[in-house]
Amino acid sequence: MDNNITAPTSSDLFTDLPYLQLGGGFVIGLAVGYALKKSFKILILLLGLTLIGLFTLEHYHLITINDSGIEETVSAGTDTFKNIALFLKERLVSAGFAGGGSAVGGLLVGLKIG
């Protein structure tokens, strides 16, 4: 049995994380992209559960659903979400070229890993 094995210290744990060695703009973009993708997933989950509930109520003849109304509402919601995403991208770019470029890169990575 080897008794020379030592546990990593807290400073070793934080230096091994690749995102902590990047610039502030990248980390801000990463956080925004990650939160944006997670919020979109939650929005889609809630929309799906709501539609399942509405379709179930319609199946039992408790309500009548206007299909074109649902389609218009969902289209308006996706347009709003696109506008929010574009606003966040423009805000990150306006941080200046060096910070903005890395922030957009962080945003893309955050969208990928979110």
Side-chain angles (χ1 to χ4, degrees):
M1 181 174 224
D2 189 9
N3 292 334
N4 294 331
I5 298 174
T6 59
T9 63
S10 61
S11 63
D12 292 338
L13 292 175
F14 290 122
T15 56
D16 291 340
L17 296 175
Y19 298 124
L20 293 179
Q21 297 174 2
L22 299 171
F26 184 86
V27 174
I28 290 170
L30 179 72
V32 170
Y34 186 85
L36 189 65
K37 188 168 181 182
K38 289 297 181 185
S39 65
F40 184 69
K41 286 181 178 181
I42 291 170
L43 178 69
I44 294 297
L45 174 68
L46 293 176
L47 176 65
L49 292 175
T50 302
L51 289 173
I52 289 170
L54 288 174
F55 294 156
T56 302
L57 291 173
E58 183 185 40
H59 176 75
Y60 289 110
H61 305 290
L62 297 173
I63 63 170
T64 303
I65 295 178
N66 179 0
D67 292 335
S68 62
I70 289 177
E71 186 176 341
E72 289 173 11
T73 303
V74 170
S75 294
T78 55
D79 288 342
T80 302
F81 199 81
K82 285 178 190 176
N83 289 336
I84 290 170
L86 287 174
F87 162 74
L88 290 173
K89 180 184 172 195
E90 289 173 7
R91 175 63 179 99
L92 290 173
V93 170
S94 70
F97 182 75
S102 64
V104 171
L107 176 73
L108 295 175
V109 171
L111 289 173
K112 176 73 177 162
I113 67 172

